[in-house]
Every structure is written in C-alpha cells, then in structure tokens.
Amino acid sequence: MVRDEPLDFENEDDPLLPTARPAKRSKVIGLDDLLLDYLQSSKKDKLKVKAAKSKRGPKGGYDSGEEDDKSTQQEIAVCKIFEEVQQKGKVMDARDDVPPWGQQIFGCQKPPSNLSNVGVENCQLLQSFSAIEGLGFDLEMHQGEGFLEGMLLDGWLLNLVRICGFVEDSIASWTLTNLLHSSNEKLQVSAANFWDGILSLDEAGKPLVNLGYLPSYSVLKRAMLSYGYLFDTPGTKASASGSTAAGGSDDGLPHNIIAWLGVVSACCKIRVTVDLNCLRIVDCITGMNKRSKFLRSQVALQLLKISFGLKVANVEKMLKLVTSINVKEKECDFFRLYVYLVLMDNLLFSSDAFREKTAIVDAWRNYLRNCSTQIGCTD
Amino acid sequence: MAASHAPPASVAAATDGGIEENAMAILDSSGIKDSRDLHDDRVAFLEAVRSACLAADNPSAPSWRMYNGVFQILRNSSSLELAVASFHLLTELGKQYPRTYVTDSSGHQSLMVVKECWLPFLLGNGAVSSEIGGNVRSSDHLFDPSRFSLLIEAIVEPTNATDDDNGIKAIKNMMLFQYLVNTLEADFVPRHIAYKESLDWVIFRESLLNMLLGSRKLMFKSFVKNCMFILLNQYHPEAKDEVEDIVPSERKAKSASDHDFSLNYSSFESERTLVSLRKLFVMVMKLDLIRKEADTLGLTSRADGFRNPIMEIILDELTYNSSYLSPFLLAFVEGKWKLEIILQYFSKYCGKGPVRTRRRSDNSQEDLKLESVLSFFLTATSANAIVKKMGAEIAQLLLTHAYQVCLSVQDVTSNSTATSEKIGATLQEISSNFISAFQNIRKASPNIRISPFEKEALFTAATLIRKLKSEER
C-alpha cells in the first residue's frame, strides 16, 4: 500500500486515512453486497437456529420482535462499522466521485486454525457402510474422508442428499469447511456446487433439502478473518495498515472468496419471510452517499424479488404486482402491503436510478393516492 | 431463450439517417498509418454503434454495413480489447434485434424471420443479394460451411501459447466460435417452439444449423471428430496442470504480466467454448431427431440431402477408441443426451435379435430403456455374454454414468419425463439392479478393477436402497 503518489492531493488532505477502505473500490457493489449478505445470512441463521430449537413453536411471524432484537445485535454492530465506513467514504466522495482503484481489501492471509479435526469419518453415512454387503470392496475407516471427497467431487453426494432430502450436520459442516478453506480448487468448486444445490428451492418455493446446519455468522466471519479481510474499523486501522505494509507473500485475493460470496448469496435466496426484518435490513443501510443509497435501493429490490418468488423480472412488473393489490378486498393483508410499500418506496426513491423513469414513479404515485383514499381509518 | 419478441424496429432504420454514414466514416482508414490510431478508430466505431443502436433514447437497428463492420473487427483485430468489445456488442445486438423470433397472436405461435438482417454466415447460393447493400467483397469474410469447419480445426490445433499473438488468435477463434454457436442457437430455439406447434419440417429445413451442416462444403464426420477432440482435451492432464499452475500466480495480481493474463483469460474462454460445443452437439441431436421424424412422415425430399446423424458418428468414435469413453462421458454433462448415447451404445451389444434391420421405422432401437439394459445383467450367464462382447470395464463405466443420470433427473424438472421414460423403472429398482449388475459382471470377470467413481456409485446406490426401503415401512 505504500505508494509514491506525490500528486495525489486526495490522500494528502487526510493523512489519517491512507489505507484501504472496504466500501471504496472499483468492485464496490460486490463488497457492499458482501457486507449486506453477511447481515442477512447471520440474521437468518439465528432465526433458523431459533426456530429449530423451539421446534414447533410459533415460528417467525410478526411477533418476532423481541427475538429479533437479540439476533440483530450482532448485525447492528456490523452495521455501525459499515456506517462509519460510509461516513468516511462520504467525506471523500464529496470531493471526488471517482473511486480509487487498486485499494487493498485483503491483507495477510493465514490458514485457519483447527480445520482438520472435523471428524467427518464418524458421520452416519460412512458408518452405515459396514452394514452394506456385497458391494465387492471394503472401506477402511481412515479412508473415509478421501472417499467422501470423491463422492463430493463426482457429484454423488449432492445426488444422494437431494433425493434423501436430508443432510447430516457433520457432512454439511465438512463440505462448508472445504468450500471456505480448501486450497484444492476442484474440491472447492464441488463444495460450492453442493451448497448451491442444497440451498436451492423447488418449484413450489420449498427448500429441496432439510437442513439442520446452516453457515453461521462465526464460521463466515472466521473465514473472512483467515482471508485477511481488513475490517476497517477505527481501532484496527493502524494495525491493519501496518500488517499490510509488511505484507507477506500471502497477499492478494483469497482463493475461496468467490465460493464465500456464492454460499452467502445462496443463503439469502432461501425465502425471506415478509416481516419487519425486511424493513430493518433496509433501514440498517443509512449512509447518505450515492453508493449506499444505491445499495439500499438494490436491497429493497432483492427483498421484493424474493417475496414475489424470484419470478418477477423487472421493476415494472413488480410495480404492477404491488399496485394490483386491491385494498378493498377483505383478505387484503395490510401488514404485507405495508412492507411492500416501504420496500417499494426505498427502491424507487433511495437512488437516482428511477428519477428519470417518470412512468414508473407516476404509476406509483397514483397507487399511493388510491391507497390513501380507499383505505378506511379503521384499517 | 429469445422465445417471444416484439417485432424489431425497421431494419432499414439506421440506414435512413446519417448515423450509418457517420459511423462508417470512423472506420475509414485512408490516410492513417499509425496502428494506434487505427485501434482508437475502431474503439470509437464500436462506441458509435453501441450508442446509436443500443443506448440511444430511440435506438435504431444497425444497418447491414454497421453490423458487418463490428463483425470484421472481431475477426480481424489483433487486440484482445477490441475482440472482447466487439463480441459483446454483437451479442447484445443479436438480443435486441433478433433475426428469428416467434410471435404469439391469439395463442397461435408463428415464426418470423427478418431475412434481410445481417448474418455472420454465408449459406445457400453463396451470394449476398444486392438490395442488402453489400457487394460481394464485403461478405468475403463471413462464415461459409467450410470456413466454419476450418475454425474448429484451428481451435483443435495445439497453439503455441508462448507467442502472444498466437495466444490472442486462439482466444479470438474461441470467441468467434461462441458467437457463431450463439447465432445458431438464436435461430434454432424459436424454430423449435414454432415446430412443436406445426410439425412443419420446412421450419428446420431452413434453419441455419441445417443449412450449415447439410452443406457439402463441410465434412461433417471430421467436423464432429474435431469437436469431440476439443471436448476430450478438457481432461487432458497436461493442459490442466498448466492452467492450474498459472492460476495462483495470476492471483498475485501485481506480479502478473500481460502474458499470464492472456493465458488465464484463455482458459476462461476455453471453458466457455466447451459450453458452446455441448450446446452445438445437443442442437444437432435435436435436429437429427426432428429430421428422423420428418423422414418417417415422408416430409423430406431428395433435396434435403443426407447427413449422418451425429449420434452415429459419436458412437463410432467411442466404440473404436474406448479410451475416449470415460473422458467423453465426464465432459458431456447433458444428462438426457448422455443417457441416450449410453443406451445406443448398449443397443449395439444387447440387441435381442441377431439381425438388426437397416430401417429405423421399426422403432426397436429407441425402445431400449435403462431398465432393460440392466435386466441383461441380472443373471450371471447373460452378463457374461455381454461382457465378452463389450468388455467388463466398459460395461461398468457405462452403467455407472447411466445411473448417475438417473439420480440427477430425480427432481421435478420440466424435461425429466422424457428421460424417466428412457429409464423405465423406479429409482429403487434401478438401484438394486445396478448393484446386482456389478455383482454379475464380477462373476464374469473376477479380477476386474472397480474405479473410485464406480465405488462411490455403488455406495450411493446401497445407501439409497436402505433409505427408500425404510421409507416404505
């Protein structure tokens, strides 16, 4: 990062901020998404875990407020970091809209600790082998992981899991570890395919596979740390820049980052319940600069897409769907409508992207006007 | 994909205004000697076409000359930047202004073809009619059938990648091929939709793919062999190692030279070329099926000519070079067609009657299902008979790949019904027959080696049987 750029006044103006800023890079959208995905998935994990723990308890729904508070704390913390970064970014944005290129996002990469001891050899799948007869070959226990790797590489594992509709926790976590940390590219790609497969939905929008294990916030974060991601908080900045200046040979883009992004975004495609969480996610993004506004608009768009089942291709069609909700009908779900309204509002007015598309904005205004006249005060 | 489109704006639109003149003037190279200037001019030309035809408020379709100019840049330029830019521009133009599309009027789908639209192919009588505005010279770089097969040959030939120019040339060839296959597909898909409704062979007789491959200028058999060779090379150990060596060093971005980049990019393009190749294979297989249908209905005439079905050529190749089998089945991931290939391979050895008639109308060949193939292996004697004919290891390999297709079509996808007909039994039956087939093969040749791939398959089958049985209870 130590670059001789005597003519770069941007940096001279603010000598305290010379280092990489995650939110500012040529691939900024990707990184913003990344952070956001982070939030979403961690939230969902928590929700899922909770739902699983309280088995058939009242699930999710609109009364999840209290529960959410806990689960969103972590998220809010990240959001704050994010905001700070955004604020700092804004200072620079005011003077210069051109994002600096070549900023370093990832510093020193270190191999994550205690990976080897996952104990996948003891999974039920492999244990069941001894009960099977007549296959014509034997499997030693110590070959278990290698055999499982083969099954993963050749696609058998995914087929098996998909047909059974169930995946053991130990296998799920083992494949995730491979996805996040394996340096074997083929294994990593296969693991990514596996996760992509088990996280996908069938035509009715139900998950194909019953998952007890989902990538948790801590696992994802540990991976990020081992990739050397420079969490750009005020406290760590000095040390981060110090370590990168002395950066070892491990600098550069971490190999597994694409898979990381893949699994996180796949996590986010699992149907989000339409509830206050959606609004919270959007609200979390508070920055006022162009980029965070755009991010907010895009997040709202994605959430709307998910709640309409991913079949709606563009904003026009989505608008049509939302505006086709007849508020006079008895079964009209006002809560849902409210969520849609807020998301739509964020989508359309957070960024400048729709400023010129007057047709869309007009249609939206009309609908709002109708809503305000047609909905009785009692509702 | 381009299933149903609004009719594109008048094709002549861009010709009317001065847009075409202005854009073409940018390309005018008279008086320019510096190659850097030429490069900049071409970039400017691509920009001009993009802004006039795609980005403008009221975009108009590109004229024949403009289209042609863009394609010429893709074909002739020696810069990667221009090649990529022109490739994307052509792709987007093709999407925006489809030449072939389906209109849906009151539930009836009819095919529309904008005949005067520019094409990268030179088919039929070989001359571009004069009203299009191109003279013969301006079309001499388009792809006629022989040039298309030459392109494949150029991709097959191992290029000396250390030479930078050669590297770019190889990438350019791959991009050209991808673009041409995409063009064939954009013509094929709407025709397929329209054909399903009308069953009119003429729709496919006039398809680009049929005209291209039916031409005598293209040696279809060697063309298919070359294509297969590219597919097989994917698993060529040396090539793979080379790529893997490069990837980590490329990722240390700062030290990566342009040379590394172009090699790395080349591996990216070769992956996409393989996708295009498989796409082409599947299209030809579909075309062959439709042709066969038309033949049996008596809709074809002598004018349609005769071309060997691609399946026959593939099967011949795989039969004579059994070492191709495993890499080909790994590379060719389209399950439905993979199963078809496997079944037809078996049908050579598992035929019930000793005499197979040359005529296909008896349909006996198509009726071979995986279930019936497996049934040949249900007793040690019959398994022994087949294994003697085709080889035990080949039988194991084919069965394993077929079983994998069975598993992958087990979810509710749209085209799985046709495939499950080819399977012909429940998953549980197939799984247990699969295991006993292996047992009987082993009785026939006791010292046979079971590959890891096959072991994994057996284990999967055994696990599934347990699982399905426990569900029954």
Side-chain angles (χ1 to χ4, degrees):
Chain A
M1 273 326 281
V2 185
R3 287 188 298 177
D4 289 328
E5 286 178 342
L7 291 179
D8 191 345
F9 294 108
E10 300 301 328
N11 279 348
E12 279 181 8
D13 282 348
D14 200 345
L16 287 174
L17 296 171
T19 45
R21 199 156 283 111
K24 294 187 59 74
R25 202 197 172 210
S26 54
K27 287 189 174 177
V28 160
I29 297 300
L31 283 165
D32 286 352
D33 283 346
L34 181 150
L35 192 58
L36 183 94
D37 286 345
Y38 220 79
L39 309 183
Q40 287 184 325
S41 69
S42 67
K43 158 173 283 183
K44 246 174 295 149
D45 295 343
K46 294 282 153 49
L47 286 178
K48 284 263 159 67
V49 169
K50 289 233 166 75
K53 273 179 191 158
S54 60
K55 277 274 159 93
R56 277 141 190 72
K59 199 185 168 186
Y62 312 135
D63 56 345
S64 59
E66 285 175 26
E67 216 175 50
D68 284 348
D69 282 346
K70 277 181 232 154
S71 66
T72 51
Q73 269 173 10
Q74 237 172 351
E75 182 186 310
I76 288 165
V78 185
C79 271
K80 278 196 181 131
I81 300 168
F82 184 73
E83 275 165 43
E84 280 164 33
V85 174
Q86 294 283 349
Q87 296 294 332
K88 297 228 173 67
K90 213 171 71 186
V91 179
M92 287 185 83
D93 262 2
R95 290 174 305 201
D96 187 6
D97 261 346
V98 183
W101 284 60
Q103 294 257 7
Q104 192 163 5
I105 311 295
F106 292 99
C108 195
Q109 290 171 32
K110 39 191 179 266
S113 51
N114 62 27
L115 276 185
S116 50
N117 195 14
V118 200
V120 73
E121 289 91 347
N122 299 323
C123 69
Q124 279 178 18
L125 180 66
L126 287 178
Q127 294 294 332
S128 70
F129 188 89
S130 52
I132 301 169
E133 284 169 2
L135 286 191
F137 65 98
D138 288 319
L139 187 67
E140 302 280 331
M141 257 314 121
H142 65 271
Q143 301 165 334
E145 185 167 0
F147 188 73
L148 215 53
E149 275 181 12
M151 288 194 62
L152 179 63
L153 283 170
D154 295 328
W156 296 107
L157 194 59
L158 178 58
N159 281 330
L160 190 60
V161 160
R162 233 169 15 107
I163 294 169
C164 294
F166 165 76
V167 57
E168 273 179 70
D169 288 2
S170 55
I171 290 180
S173 91
W174 173 77
T175 50
L176 186 69
T177 309
N178 270 315
L179 183 154
L180 294 174
H181 301 292
S182 173
S183 56
N184 177 340
E185 200 163 339
K186 282 184 199 157
L187 202 56
Q188 185 204 324
V189 169
S190 304
N193 286 340
F194 178 81
W195 271 92
D196 198 44
I198 60 176
L199 284 175
S200 49
L201 305 169
D202 66 8
E203 279 170 351
K206 298 261 163 53
L208 283 175
V209 174
N210 192 4
L211 272 175
Y213 175 93
L214 274 164
S216 70
Y217 176 81
S218 62
V219 168
L220 290 172
K221 170 143 183 186
R222 191 182 65 190
M224 257 329 196
L225 283 174
S226 77
Y227 300 162
Y229 183 70
L230 303 175
F231 287 92
D232 201 13
T233 54
T236 61
K237 190 180 294 153
S239 61
S241 67
S243 72
T244 50
S249 57
D250 273 347
D251 280 10
L253 207 56
H255 293 194
N256 304 51
I257 187 67
I258 295 177
W260 190 97
L261 286 171
V263 76
V264 172
S265 66
C267 275
C268 295
K269 275 189 199 132
I270 294 188
R271 185 158 299 213
V272 183
T273 48
V274 178
D275 59 20
L276 285 176
N277 287 334
C278 292
L279 306 186
R280 286 215 183 109
I281 291 172
V282 178
D283 275 349
C284 278
I285 310 163
T286 51
M288 289 306 287
N289 61 357
K290 242 189 196 170
R291 209 164 282 130
S292 44
K293 281 180 179 172
F294 183 70
L295 173 61
R296 185 159 58 217
S297 160
Q298 286 301 308
V299 171
L301 175 68
Q302 293 306 323
L303 288 172
L304 278 169
K305 263 192 191 168
I306 292 166
S307 57
F308 284 122
L310 294 171
K311 280 174 193 146
V312 191
N314 55 23
V315 179
E316 281 85 353
K317 283 189 189 143
M318 200 157 337
L319 185 72
K320 230 180 205 168
L321 272 177
V322 176
T323 51
S324 66
I325 298 175
N326 187 353
V327 292
K328 294 239 155 147
E329 265 172 41
K330 279 212 175 122
E331 56 267 33
C332 176
D333 183 345
F334 280 105
F335 180 81
R336 226 178 214 304
L337 181 64
Y338 172 72
V339 174
Y340 287 155
L341 289 183
V342 177
L343 287 178
M344 214 52 201
D345 182 68
N346 270 299
L347 165 64
L348 291 178
F349 300 108
S350 286
S351 81
D352 296 335
F354 294 97
R355 196 134 299 168
E356 281 157 20
K357 302 199 173 169
T358 43
I360 294 181
V361 176
D362 284 346
W364 180 240
R365 291 212 169 108
N366 273 334
Y367 180 67
L368 284 185
R369 207 170 297 137
N370 289 343
C371 282
S372 63
T373 51
Q374 288 173 359
I375 303 177
C377 305
T378 46
D379 294 327
Chain B
M1 260 159 270
S4 159
H5 274 280
S10 160
V11 175
T15 328
D16 295 340
I19 301 171
E20 184 193 15
E21 283 311 310
N22 288 335
M24 296 314 293
I26 302 175
L27 272 190
D28 186 2
S29 59
S30 56
I32 302 177
K33 291 196 180 87
D34 191 353
S35 65
R36 185 71 221 165
D37 288 346
L38 267 180
H39 176 94
D40 289 348
D41 281 354
R42 288 177 176 167
V43 173
F45 170 73
L46 294 180
E47 274 306 305
V49 174
R50 175 178 289 277
S51 57
C53 304
L54 291 171
D57 287 337
N58 200 1
S60 51
S63 70
W64 197 92
R65 281 171 66 204
M66 284 158 81
Y67 232 137
N68 209 31
V70 180
F71 186 65
Q72 234 161 338
I73 291 178
L74 176 58
R75 272 216 63 185
N76 301 332
S77 93
S78 54
S79 113
L80 193 56
E81 179 197 351
L82 282 174
V84 173
S86 50
F87 174 81
H88 283 288
L89 184 56
L90 284 169
T91 308
E92 284 170 52
L93 286 176
K95 276 192 188 135
Q96 186 80 25
Y97 307 103
R99 181 178 181 273
T100 314
Y101 54 93
V102 173
T103 50
D104 193 343
S105 55
S106 61
H108 180 75
Q109 293 181 318
S110 49
L111 187 76
M112 306 293 282
V113 181
V114 188
K115 286 242 163 72
E116 60 273 27
C117 189
W118 176 86
L119 263 185
F121 293 106
L122 201 59
L123 301 168
N125 55 13
V128 181
S129 57
S130 57
E131 71 237 75
I132 295 172
N135 51 29
V136 180
R137 258 191 74 228
S138 67
S139 59
D140 63 0
H141 63 281
L142 296 179
F143 274 77
D144 65 1
S146 67
R147 184 171 274 160
F148 188 65
S149 61
L150 283 176
L151 177 67
I152 284 289
E153 277 173 34
I155 296 176
V156 172
E157 262 174 32
T159 48
N160 187 4
T162 47
D163 185 357
D164 252 7
D165 271 357
N166 252 343
I168 288 178
K169 201 168 180 208
I171 293 176
K172 218 174 56 182
N173 281 339
M174 290 193 269
M175 289 170 82
L176 267 174
F177 177 72
Q178 289 165 30
Y179 173 66
L180 295 177
V181 172
N182 287 348
T183 309
L184 292 173
E185 189 192 27
D187 178 71
F188 189 90
V189 172
R191 283 177 197 272
H192 204 246
I193 294 169
Y195 175 82
K196 271 184 199 155
E197 196 160 299
S198 65
L199 296 181
D200 182 2
W201 162 245
V202 177
I203 290 177
F204 273 106
R205 176 188 287 158
E206 290 170 355
S207 70
L208 293 181
L209 188 66
N210 188 47
M211 293 201 286
L212 183 73
L213 301 183
S215 162
R216 284 194 194 142
K217 288 194 218 160
L218 185 137
M219 297 295 293
F220 186 65
K221 197 167 174 183
S222 58
F223 173 78
V224 174
K225 279 186 183 174
N226 280 330
C227 289
M228 284 178 75
F229 195 72
I230 299 173
L231 271 178
L232 295 172
N233 259 7
Q234 176 184 201
Y235 285 88
H236 203 270
E238 279 171 49
K240 204 69 192 170
D241 283 349
E242 198 182 349
V243 170
E244 273 170 5
D245 279 350
I246 288 154
V247 172
S249 66
E250 153 64 18
R251 279 171 177 166
K252 285 169 193 162
K254 278 167 197 164
S255 61
S257 67
D258 286 353
H259 170 62
D260 277 349
F261 171 77
S262 94
L263 264 187
N264 198 31
Y265 190 77
S266 154
S267 78
F268 169 73
E269 284 297 340
S270 24
E271 221 153 87
R272 306 210 316 179
T273 303
L274 292 174
V275 175
S276 291
L277 257 179
R278 301 201 309 260
K279 212 191 272 178
L280 180 67
F281 269 32
V282 170
M283 274 197 288
V284 180
M285 287 177 193
K286 281 183 184 164
L287 178 69
D288 287 347
L289 274 188
I290 290 165
R291 168 71 195 259
K292 208 157 105 182
E293 224 169 63
D295 278 344
T296 44
L297 290 174
L299 297 174
T300 50
S301 68
R302 190 177 279 181
D304 280 313
F306 176 77
R307 175 173 61 75
N308 280 323
I310 190 170
M311 194 73 91
E312 275 181 17
I313 301 175
I314 294 176
L315 282 172
D316 282 354
E317 278 297 288
L318 295 180
T319 314
Y320 293 126
N321 308 286
S322 56
S323 63
Y324 288 3
L325 258 177
S326 174
F328 183 82
L329 291 175
L330 284 174
F332 195 72
V333 291
E334 279 73 11
K336 180 185 170 192
W337 299 101
K338 188 180 348 197
L339 185 60
E340 187 68 37
I341 293 173
I342 295 172
L343 290 180
Q344 297 220 6
Y345 193 104
F346 271 119
S347 74
K348 289 187 176 185
Y349 300 93
C350 305
K352 277 176 191 152
V355 185
R356 165 138 292 122
T357 47
R358 183 80 184 144
R359 283 175 59 82
R360 301 278 191 66
S361 48
D362 57 354
N363 278 349
S364 65
Q365 200 159 352
E366 287 121 288
D367 279 343
L368 192 66
K369 295 173 180 168
L370 180 59
E371 180 264 329
S372 35
V373 170
L374 282 169
S375 71
F376 286 113
F377 292 90
L378 279 185
T379 65
T381 30
S382 61
N384 198 9
I386 295 171
V387 160
K388 269 192 180 147
K389 273 190 269 178
M390 71 187 297
E393 293 195 358
I394 291 177
Q396 282 190 357
L397 182 74
L398 290 176
L399 288 176
T400 310
H401 275 284
Y403 183 63
Q404 193 170 41
V405 175
C406 288
L407 295 192
S408 59
V409 296
Q410 281 300 311
D411 54 349
V412 269
T413 50
S414 49
N415 64 353
S416 66
T417 39
T419 315
S420 23
E421 272 169 28
K422 292 272 175 201
I423 296 169
T426 66
L427 185 58
Q428 189 171 345
E429 290 160 349
I430 293 283
S431 299
S432 38
N433 288 352
F434 175 70
I435 292 182
S436 46
F438 265 71
Q439 287 166 341
N440 287 325
I441 291 174
R442 203 163 46 247
K443 279 179 201 156
S445 67
N447 295 324
I448 191 167
R449 201 182 69 91
I450 305 179
S451 73
F453 184 66
E454 289 151 5
K455 284 183 185 170
E456 292 153 15
L458 285 171
F459 179 61
T460 307
T463 312
L464 272 180
I465 293 171
R466 276 162 53 102
K467 156 89 183 158
L468 294 170
K469 270 190 186 154
S470 73
E471 270 176 10
E472 270 176 9
R473 282 182 205 133

